[in-house]
Amino acid sequence: MQSQAEVKFGDQEVKHAQQSEFVSFTVAGQAFCLKITQIREIRRWSPVTILPHAPMDVLGVMNLRGAVIPIYDLAARFGLQQTEASERNVVIVVAVHGKPVGLLAESVSEIISINREEIQDTPPVDSRHTMEYIQGIISHDDTMVRIINLDAVISAPEQGLS
Amino acid sequence: MSGSIQDTFFEECEELLEAMDEGLTAVEGGDHDPEVVNAIFRAVHSIKGGAGAFGLDELVAFAHRFETVFDEVRNNKVELDTKLIQLLLRCSDHLSDLVAVARDGGTTDEEHHDALIAGLEEYMDDEEEDLTFEPMGLGGPSVPLPLAAEEEKTYEIRFRPLKEMFGTGNEPFFLFQALSELGPLKVVLDESELPGFDAMAMDDSYLAWNLTLTSTEPKSSIEAVFEFVEGLCELSIASDKDAEEEEAALAALNAAFGVSGDDSVTDPPAPFDAPAPAVTAPEASPQPVEKASSAKAESTKSEQRGPKPTLRVDLERVDRLINAVGELIINHSMLAQQIANLDVADLRDVETELEGFKNLARDIQEGVMSIRAQPVKPLFQRMARIVREASSATNKVAKLVTEGENTEVDKTVIERLSDPLTHILRNAVDHGIEKPDDREAIGKSRTGEIRLSASHRSGSVCIEIKDDGAGVNRPRVKQIAIEKGLIPENAELSDSEIDNLLFLPGFSTAKEVSNLSGRGVGMDVVKNAVTALGGRINISSNPGKGSTFTIILPLTLAVMDGMVVSVADQTMVVPITSIVETMRGSDDMINSLGADGTLLSIRGNFVPICDVASALGLRNPNSDQPPGVYLLVETETGQKSALAVDDIHDQRQVVIKSLDGVCGNIPGVAAATILGDGKIAMILDPENILAASTSSATFDTERRMSNAIAS
């Protein structure tokens, strides 16, 4: 299950024990990131099979080497403008609760290597909905990168659907 | 370590219990062949042996009494009459309970346990039970026996465990400890075979022991100590007496008693066994008087000539294989599609090879599927017990007759069939079969008969439960349905529709709540369980003659024949089993009914139309686009509906991929599959679609039922 992405990223040496690596990407124009260890692979977007009666943020299901995996639109999930899925977009395959799940993002930007101390707590804002999904924020190259709390993003819809 | 051995023991117990049940059923059927009785005895004995090794005392104690009675039967000292057979059947049920309790924890019914033990003891020879020896009562004339049994003798025992013995978790130390309880024991280790460190294999056995035991116990007691490691070690036991002399004495004894090597390892009642320490390893001995090993030797023998050698494989491995083969099939169709799309002039050779590849893949698939397929026999045997218990609880007499036990069905199907079958059988006894006196009064035999049969029927498995009881009391069923508000008071229902009312949630016709039914669990649970397996259930009844439940199940849960259709630009699959007919529709076949109902006229009949796309929320119900193709489907109640889809592409076998855990329950969708182009297609559940569709004018009860399933 070694994805190409992992192999490539794995070459970069972790310089410090306190340092962790994040993959940053854009969703509806905002910068988000996920810990590199959470990501199984990154694929180009290809049309998915629609699930009847599914919520707006569930795009459908995709065939990942014989496994049926659900694809979520992160933008719709965060309450942002829905992504117009196209060839340029990417699906980030992550493993949540041992199961692969695909997340649609606009594009993948880069790998950020930062120290733990650099992670700041999310300042309280009114949008409680968004707050749940954001674990913390990083300042990187003068932009704010939001760290996604994967468990909150994925476990919530499962309950809502069934 | 011990956990896994214990698991093996319980797995073996399952098989042994099955063998015991099978034997008892044969005995019940009048087959008193000694070989059958022996087989049961061996099964019980092996359970006892294993249980002893794990210190399951209650199980050992019960199995011991059970086996003792069988021993009496084997020796023709007890007559196998109906009463005893009934007792033995109940005991076998109890034994499986005890095994289950030992495995899963819990408690058994003390009173029942004691009653059975008391029942068994009636048939037992007290002396044998106490394991004291009794020179009389074995049928032989009094023969001057060498009084060696009382004498203190010195045994020379050579014990060399094979490596397999350690694999089963046996420890020489415990054996020696057990031996030392028989008398003073001297243990000398023989390490002469021990190689140097470089030549030593980690898991091999190199050690042997020479033991010297001084004891008054007969040789059989010593052999009993080694009972569990028989065949796993090289063992020789010699007493200080001259072996030849012993053999001569034995021959004389055999002549006197007739050669009847039939007492067991653990009940050494025979004093004439005592002076028989022939110098042989148990397996090597051709002597029929090697009694201590007779039971084990027989079982070894029976294993050799037993049905067929089998392999115990982890279910997960088989499932992985099945998945991989499913991928292979999908991969083949993808390949075929790619090749067909290629712009090459001559594809014939490639296509021939591809065809060969396809056949091979299908062969492999069938082979792998057959691994999961298992005969329904064990399931049916368990059902015999259900009927026994149910009839004794309701004071009725009923027997279960089974047919087609060797029909093979997917393992998961078998497992999940257990509950619905139990329920139907209990109901059949409780509601179907009349009381013995009533039966006699209407000229039926006092014993009710329930026939449980399994057969293959064009790609599916058909399981039928047929009783010769009173049949469905239709006026009463209808009355209850009206009282409970399940159907309108003026409903005109056909006989079969009334029968099928039984499957409505919360329906129970029992006048009084008995021990068995009336616990609020109705036949709807049965229906749900069968539907969950992708099957269908139907009831037909003949008043006064009995009822028949028919369950139709798919052969396997992994593959399905489906019709590939397109619905609102999506490719979907409809199970072929539910489709009666397909047809291309034209405008003049469509008739409006009411505000939004549409009916399709087929040869003068009108059936409600359900647009799949709008039922699944993929298209606005009011869109004008007329769907082109209709799939005529029939529900369990016989109600027909037409599913409207855009087009039909193909009919093919698809590999079912569960959507559990991917996304919750989606109304109208049963599962998913991967098509030849690598895309995922939804497998539809027609019943559920009809239920979800608001425009459907389906029979109301049907909708209720399906709603119950969906919720």
Side-chain angles (χ1 to χ4, degrees), chain A residues 49-50 52-53 62-63 66 68, chain B residues 327 570 615 657 662 666 678 680:
Chain A
T49 303
I50 296 168
H53 303 301
M62 188 180 81
N63 171 15
V68 180
Chain B
E327 294 314 311
Q570 295 274 317
K657 299 269 171 189
V662 174
I666 307 170
I680 295 173

Side-chain angles (χ1 to χ4, degrees), chain B residues 13-27:
Chain B
C13 268
E14 287 292 313
E15 282 167 21
L16 292 166
L17 287 170
E18 263 168 38
M20 178 180 76
D21 266 349
E22 194 180 330
L24 277 172
T25 317
V27 169

Side-chain angles (χ1 to χ4, degrees), chain B residues 469-496:
Chain B
V472 175
N473 185 346
R474 294 205 181 107
R476 209 183 136 63
V477 166
K478 195 175 170 190
Q479 189 57 40
I480 288 175
I482 292 170
E483 276 169 18
K484 299 201 171 174
L486 298 171
I487 52 169
E489 205 159 324
N490 52 3
E492 283 294 331
L493 301 178
S494 69
D495 284 354
S496 120

Side-chain angles (χ1 to χ4, degrees), chain B residues 232-281:
Chain B
L232 301 173
C233 65
E234 288 166 16
L235 179 69
S236 69
I237 305 169
S239 78
D240 48 357
K241 295 208 174 164
D242 182 20
E244 272 177 48
E245 187 190 315
E246 288 301 320
E247 268 175 45
L250 270 171
L253 277 169
N254 285 341
F257 283 107
V259 183
S260 55
D262 52 6
D263 45 353
S264 76
V265 185
T266 37
D267 311 354
F272 51 78
D273 212 346
V279 192
T280 42

